[in-house]
């Protein structure tokens, strides 16, 4: 059976508001990042794929199964919602076991899988901690455990690292990468660092439209030889921000080190430097706001 | 399904609302059932006893007497009890309306109204002078015209009902059940036989238990049901649970069944505990009690109430995701309690079926058919309500929105 999500001309309307506008995407095995600002339509797309929202138009197939066949889709997908939560008075073990029952896992298998999953997400020692007493990171790890306990072929993860401390975030990203070896993991985020660290393939959504689809390298190519660093006086900052895309400012007493995206050398004293995904994303979003939809060779 | 049912039971057992339910039920029922007056009825009546107590009578003469005495009492106080929508409301009449009723009284008794007042007052004086021994006084009864026909009486009651308003004591269903009569030795012996042979003592005790428990069970399971349905929303786990592969029918069905069982089991245990002294006392009196009466009556009388109340609570809460079910179902429950024209029988289609007496099997047997129909109807209604809840849940799951069309918050 194919391991692919195919989305063709997907539209989703909320009354008069168009949350998704003819989205076309093909997502293969491994980690796939969905990037975009707040309100871009990421969660709507995720919820359509998780059968929690009906589409208004278009075609969506998850591993060859049309999304309308909700019961089948639910069996093959694991979903971690943006604000994962469970009954506060259940322990980690009880919550996982309850959700496993809701996924139709028989008792003998649950007995084996629940501790296995808790161990995988490093929660076995805290299995008796109640959900209401868990930290944000622990909750997310429990969220991942519940999303994979029924061994789904597709995992949909919505903004999983928001609110986590750096250490938790790194641990969580590594966990997702491990899981993605034999599955499709669709990761939605507005945190560029998460995408950079985990995803090979990405799509950028803005106002319900796919404005970029390709590899991280192809996104980086958009800003190749366009990223510069310069030491400037703090008084010059306002002028620079008006003329260029400034992606970083580091104040150093009487001077400031700025990171600038520009088509050509912005200042005589500026030095060219290597671009990162955040620069590329900022450049892309800036280009879109200048021209309604920016489409490059690999852009959607 | 079995695993989910057990997990739902455990969830309920961990909820505070459920403990409040348990505590309230136990306190209420023990408070009401602690009275052991029924033990006196376990002794066989003997000829020549001073009194054999009172009983209800369908004798037309008795019904007329009781109806007219109620009318006289309310005319004198100019305060007429009515129960619109099940709630008590006192009605005061103007002079003209009172005059019509006074003339009707005169027509039924053949006495001047002023004379009735005098006789009634004289009886009142006599009672007050007797102090604590008033119970021994012979009751004063309003004299009824010798040739007063029942049809004529019915017309008077109809007129009174027209003036006072509906749901008053002058509605046919109400006055027909108010005939009270002193029992004779033969009556008392028949009652005793019924108690021993038909009711086997514990049957009578369990009807009384069901009378009190029914009131309670029309109210408290509402809170248990609403709490169970809102649990996903309160825990912010609704979306997560909807994304699982479990079917709506299995999820709602198991949750509903778990709530019914968890509400019913303590009731059954209480019924057993309440029945035990009765079985023991019957044994002491040489009467073979029915030890399974608690099961028969609890299943027949109380289970359908729990089922329908929980079914309605599930449907309203699932459809609105609010606590709207609480005021709606409380109004239904209290409406049913207060709309009762009598505290014994007259089951009709009421949610709260009353039998606030120990015994009277004969009359119970007469009304048993209607009780079966009533309970059967509520059980069927409960099943329909649960099916509708499943449909609502599946619709919300498919549409990702509330039933009444409000869009869910979109965080994309």
């Amino acid at each position: 059976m194919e391991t692919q999500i195919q989305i063709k001309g997907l539209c989703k309307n909320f009354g008069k508001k168009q949350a998704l506008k003819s989205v076309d995407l093909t997502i293969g095995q491994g980690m796939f990042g969905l990037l975009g600002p707040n309100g871009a339509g990421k969660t709507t797309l995720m919820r359509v794929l998780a059968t929690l929202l009906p589409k208004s138009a278009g075609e969506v197939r998850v591993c060859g199964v049309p999304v309308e066949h909700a019961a089948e889709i639910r069996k093959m997908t694991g979903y971690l919602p943006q604000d994962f939560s469970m009954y506060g008075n259940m322990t980690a073990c009880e919550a996982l076991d309850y959700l496993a029952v809701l996924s139709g896992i028989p008792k003998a298998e649950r007995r084996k899988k629940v501790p296995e999953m808790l161990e995988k997400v490093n929660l076995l020692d805290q299995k008796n901690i109640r959900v209401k007493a868990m930290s944000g990171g622990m909750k997310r790890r429990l969220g991942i455990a519940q999303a994979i306990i029924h061994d789904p072929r597709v995992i949909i993860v919505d903004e999983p690292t928001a609110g986590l401390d750096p250490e938790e975030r790194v641990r969580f990203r590594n966990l997702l990468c491990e899981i993605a070896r034999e599955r499709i993991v669709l990761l939605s985020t507005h945190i560029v660092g998460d995408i950079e660290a985990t995803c090979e393939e990405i799509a950028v959504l803005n106002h319900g439209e796919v404005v970029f689809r390709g590899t991280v390298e192809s996104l980086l190519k958009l800003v190749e030889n366009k990223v510069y660093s310069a030491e400037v006086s703090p008084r010059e900052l306002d002028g620079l921000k008006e003329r260029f895309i400034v992606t970083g400012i580091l104040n150093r007493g009487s001077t400031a080190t700025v990171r600038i995206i520009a088509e050509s050398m912005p200042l005589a004293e500026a030095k060219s430097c290597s671009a990162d995904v955040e620069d590329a994303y900022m450049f892309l979003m800036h280009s879109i706001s200048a021209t309604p939809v920016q489409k490059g060779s690999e852009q959607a | 399904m079995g695993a989910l049912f057990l997990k739902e039971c455990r969830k309920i057992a961990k909820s505070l609302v459920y403990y409040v339910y348990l505590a309230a039920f136990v306190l209420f029922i023990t408070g009401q059932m602690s009275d052991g007056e029924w033990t006196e009825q376990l002794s066989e009546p003997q000829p020549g006893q001073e009194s054999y107590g009172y009983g209800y009578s369908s004798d037309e003469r008795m019904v007329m007497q009781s109806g007219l005495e109620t009318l006289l009492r309310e005319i004198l106080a100019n305060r007429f009890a009515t129960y619109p929508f099940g709630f008590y409301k006192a009605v005061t009449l103007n002079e003209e309306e009172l005059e019509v009723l006074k003339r009707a009284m005169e027509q039924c008794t053949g006495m001047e109204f002023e004379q009735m007042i005098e006789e009634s007052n004289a009886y009142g004086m006599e009672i007050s002078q007797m102090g604590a021994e008033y119970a021994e006084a012979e009751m004063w009864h309003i004299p009824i015209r010798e040739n007063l026909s029942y049809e004529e009486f019915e017309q008077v009651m109809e007129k009174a009902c027209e003036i006072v308003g509906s749901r008053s004591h002058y509605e046919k269903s109400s006055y027909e059940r108010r005939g009270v009569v002193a029992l004779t030795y033969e009556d008392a012996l028949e009652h005793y036989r019924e108690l021993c042979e038909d009711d086997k003592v514990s049957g009578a005790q369990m009807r009384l238990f069901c009378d009190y428990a029914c009131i309670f069970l029309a109210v408290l399971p509402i809170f248990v049901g609403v709490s169970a349905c809102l649990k996903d929303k309160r825990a912010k786990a609704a979306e997560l649970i909807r994304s699982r592969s479990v079917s709506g029918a299995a999820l709602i069905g198991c949750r509903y069944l778990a709530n019914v069982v968890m509400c019913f089991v303590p009731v059954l245990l209480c019924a057993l505990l309440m029945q035990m002294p009765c079985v023991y006392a019957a044994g002491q009196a040489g009467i073979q009690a029915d030890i399974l009466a608690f099961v028969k009556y609890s299943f027949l009388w109380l289970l359908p109430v729990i089922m329908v109340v929980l079914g309605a609570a599930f449907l309203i809460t699932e459809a609105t995701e609010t606590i709207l079910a609480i005021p709606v179902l409380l109004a239904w429950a209290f409406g049913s309690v207060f709309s009762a024209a009598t505290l014994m029988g007259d089951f009709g289609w009421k949610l709260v079926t009353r039998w606030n007496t120990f015994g009277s099997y004969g009359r119970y047997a007469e009304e048993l058919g209607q009780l079966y129909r009533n309970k059967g109807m509520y059980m069927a209604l409960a099943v329909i309500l649960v099916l509708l809840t499943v449909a609502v849940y599946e619709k919300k799951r498919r549409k990702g929105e509330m039933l009444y069309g409000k869009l869910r918050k979109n965080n994309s």
Side-chain angles (χ1 to χ4, degrees):
Chain A
M1 195 185 268
E2 59 179 304
T3 308
Q4 207 176 48
I5 299 174
Q6 288 171 305
I7 304 168
K8 284 182 193 162
L10 174 65
C11 295
K12 177 64 197 172
N13 305 332
F14 292 107
K16 284 180 184 171
K17 194 195 164 196
Q18 251 195 308
L20 293 174
K21 300 169 191 169
S22 194
V23 171
D24 291 313
L25 275 177
T26 301
I27 300 165
Q29 194 170 305
M31 286 281 284
F32 186 92
L34 203 55
L35 198 59
N38 287 330
K42 302 188 298 291
T43 298
T44 303
L45 177 58
M46 295 267 178
R47 290 177 68 209
V48 169
L49 294 175
T51 72
L52 295 166
L53 271 182
K55 58 188 172 58
S56 302
E59 193 189 336
V60 180
R61 283 176 176 271
V62 179
C63 299
V65 179
V67 79
E68 290 82 359
H69 297 191
E72 264 182 89
I73 299 283
R74 283 176 197 139
K75 277 182 196 159
M76 65 169 89
T77 53
Y79 177 56
L80 173 59
Q82 193 171 338
D83 42 3
F84 168 79
S85 190
M86 264 302 278
Y87 310 120
N89 60 356
M90 275 189 178
T91 63
C93 194
E94 286 169 344
L96 197 53
D97 197 41
Y98 180 76
L99 291 165
V101 168
L102 294 183
S103 288
I105 302 175
K107 189 176 182 178
E109 205 179 324
R110 284 198 326 266
R111 274 193 183 157
K112 197 171 129 252
K113 278 206 148 184
V114 168
E116 202 178 289
M117 289 299 124
L118 287 172
E119 191 169 20
K120 192 165 192 142
V121 297
N122 204 20
L123 276 178
L124 195 57
D125 293 341
Q126 289 106 4
K127 66 177 182 182
N128 293 323
I129 289 188
R130 292 191 190 284
V131 172
K132 64 184 170 195
M134 285 181 170
S135 68
M138 284 165 79
K139 267 192 194 171
R140 301 291 160 84
R141 280 186 275 146
L142 178 63
I144 270 294
Q146 65 79 28
I148 59 174
I149 194 162
H150 54 298
D151 205 14
R153 293 162 68 196
V154 177
I155 298 171
I156 299 163
V157 195
D158 196 1
E159 307 274 6
T161 56
L164 295 189
D165 65 43
E167 202 184 332
E168 281 279 14
R169 179 174 295 167
V170 169
R171 199 185 298 161
F172 198 85
R173 288 194 309 220
N174 293 343
L175 183 63
L176 284 177
C177 289
E178 264 177 56
I179 293 163
R181 275 183 213 143
E182 302 131 10
R183 304 177 172 94
I184 301 171
V185 175
L186 182 56
L187 166 70
S188 144
T189 186
H190 60 270
I191 300 167
V192 180
D194 289 348
I195 298 284
E196 192 168 21
T198 56
C199 301
E200 179 71 14
E201 296 274 329
I202 60 167
V204 179
L205 244 70
N206 190 40
H207 297 305
E209 288 177 282
V210 178
V211 292
F212 179 88
R213 164 73 177 93
T215 60
V216 172
E217 282 76 30
S218 61
L219 182 67
L220 287 171
K221 272 196 180 147
L222 295 178
V223 281
E224 208 172 37
N225 300 323
K226 287 175 186 163
V227 184
Y228 300 91
S229 164
E231 296 249 331
V232 295
S233 147
R235 281 177 297 169
E236 293 174 72
L237 284 174
D238 287 344
L240 280 173
K241 280 195 262 183
E242 276 171 23
R243 285 157 51 213
F244 306 106
I245 304 167
V246 177
T247 61
I249 300 169
L250 180 63
N251 282 311
R252 295 172 188 274
S254 58
T255 61
T257 306
V258 289
R259 196 174 168 86
I260 301 165
I261 301 172
E263 292 291 340
S264 55
M265 185 76 78
L267 300 164
E269 63 273 26
K271 289 176 202 159
S272 178
C273 55
S274 59
D276 60 23
V277 176
E278 196 164 56
D279 298 320
Y281 175 74
M282 289 300 290
F283 177 73
L284 179 69
M285 298 316 284
H286 192 266
S287 313
I288 293 159
S289 59
T291 52
V293 180
Q294 174 95 10
K295 294 197 178 188
S297 58
E298 290 220 52
Q299 284 166 260
Chain B
M1 284 284 276
L4 182 55
F5 168 75
L6 291 176
K7 294 225 169 280
E8 291 298 336
C9 287
R10 196 172 297 175
K11 249 169 70 188
I12 298 164
K14 281 184 174 180
S15 91
L16 179 67
V17 175
Y18 183 64
Y19 287 102
V20 173
Y21 166 85
L22 287 183
F25 183 77
V26 171
L27 286 174
F28 179 87
I29 209 73
T30 48
Q32 296 297 323
M33 294 292 290
S34 57
D35 187 356
E37 273 180 23
W38 51 271
T39 50
E40 293 165 11
Q41 297 188 42
L42 298 184
S43 329
E44 190 173 348
Q46 299 299 322
Q49 265 181 228
E50 210 167 277
S51 165
Y52 297 103
Y54 291 89
Y56 290 93
S57 169
S58 54
D59 179 83
E60 289 184 350
R61 204 77 193 159
M62 293 300 164
V63 171
M64 289 196 288
Q65 186 141 47
S66 173
L68 291 173
E69 280 170 5
T70 306
L71 183 57
L72 175 65
R73 198 175 56 246
E74 294 202 325
I75 291 173
L76 292 177
N78 193 10
R79 198 176 171 82
F80 295 80
T82 60
Y83 298 89
F85 306 107
F87 294 97
Y88 174 80
K89 183 188 166 198
V91 172
T92 308
L93 303 183
N94 59 34
E95 280 304 319
E96 202 179 314
E97 289 167 330
L98 280 174
E99 207 52 44
V100 175
L101 294 181
K102 284 176 188 173
R103 298 289 84 81
M105 285 293 293
E106 288 174 350
Q107 177 197 332
C108 293
T109 59
M111 276 172 88
E112 291 287 318
F113 192 75
E114 282 65 31
Q115 197 185 338
M116 278 182 247
I117 297 173
E118 272 171 34
E119 284 192 18
S120 170
N121 288 346
Y123 173 70
M125 287 288 284
E126 188 188 341
I127 290 291
S128 61
Q129 282 163 10
M130 288 179 81
E133 290 162 352
Y134 76 94
E136 288 169 22
E138 198 177 325
M139 275 182 78
W140 174 78
H141 289 296
I142 199 161
I144 300 174
R145 207 182 77 221
E146 205 54 49
N147 56 354
L148 177 70
S149 69
Y150 196 69
E151 288 70 31
E152 208 177 332
F153 164 77
E154 281 185 314
Q155 283 167 11
V156 168
M157 290 290 111
E158 206 176 306
K159 185 80 191 162
C161 196
E162 219 172 84
I163 293 171
V164 175
S166 61
R167 314 301 302 175
S168 67
H169 293 316
Y170 313 109
E171 281 207 340
K172 194 174 170 69
S173 60
S174 176
Y175 67 74
E176 270 190 344
R177 296 181 181 278
R178 289 182 169 270
V180 178
V181 64
L183 298 179
T184 62
Y185 168 67
E186 286 71 26
D187 293 335
L189 204 59
E190 174 57 18
H191 283 190
Y192 181 73
R193 191 203 59 76
E194 274 179 359
L195 184 65
C196 299
E197 292 173 17
D198 299 330
D199 260 341
K200 293 187 174 135
V201 187
S202 49
Q205 164 83 342
M206 281 301 102
R207 274 202 302 282
L208 193 58
F209 170 84
C210 288
D211 174 64
Y212 295 126
C214 196
I215 299 171
F216 172 80
L217 294 174
V219 174
L220 266 201
I222 302 169
F223 298 94
V224 179
V226 169
S227 159
C229 285
L230 288 179
K231 217 174 178 69
D232 290 355
K233 190 186 172 191
R234 280 205 315 268
K236 294 178 185 161
E239 193 170 79
L240 181 68
I241 286 165
R242 282 179 204 166
S243 73
R244 313 306 289 194
S245 61
V246 67
S247 73
L251 182 66
I252 298 293
C254 283
R255 282 186 175 174
Y256 173 75
L257 209 60
N259 274 274
V260 169
V261 169
M262 293 299 280
C263 284
F264 185 60
V265 167
V267 173
L268 207 55
L269 289 175
C270 272
L272 172 64
L273 290 174
M274 297 292 163
Q275 187 193 259
M276 280 163 72
C278 186
V279 172
Y280 176 77
Q284 293 291 304
I287 307 163
Q288 177 69 48
D290 179 4
I291 53 166
L292 287 178
F294 79 101
V295 177
K296 294 176 198 166
Y297 279 95
S298 299
F299 272 89
L300 168 68
W301 208 300
L302 303 176
L303 183 60
V305 178
I306 292 175
M307 283 176 68
V308 79
V309 169
L310 282 172
F314 264 58
L315 177 61
I316 299 172
T317 310
E318 205 56 67
T320 64
E321 293 191 9
T322 65
I323 56 163
L324 179 70
I326 294 175
V328 170
L329 297 181
L330 280 181
W332 186 26
F334 287 120
S336 178
V337 172
F338 292 119
S339 66
T342 168
L343 297 183
M344 203 176 103
D346 186 25
F347 302 127
W349 300 106
K350 293 186 187 83
L351 173 67
V352 180
T353 42
R354 306 293 315 264
W355 198 270
N356 195 254
T357 192
F358 184 84
S360 298
Y361 184 84
R363 186 163 160 192
Y364 171 69
E366 278 172 26
E367 300 199 33
L368 194 54
Q370 182 55 36
L371 186 67
Y372 283 137
R373 282 191 288 277
N374 174 307
K375 300 299 176 183
M377 187 274 284
Y378 279 118
M379 281 187 117
L381 180 61
V383 172
I384 293 167
L385 290 169
V386 175
L387 291 176
L388 286 173
T389 310
V390 172
V392 167
Y393 185 82
E394 283 295 2
K395 184 177 163 65
K396 279 161 60 179
R397 204 181 194 185
R398 276 198 313 274
K399 300 283 178 188
E401 57 189 65
M402 308 282 285
L403 187 67
Y404 49 81
K406 185 182 164 188
L407 288 170
R408 285 181 60 87
K409 188 179 159 193
N410 175 29
N411 296 317
S412 62

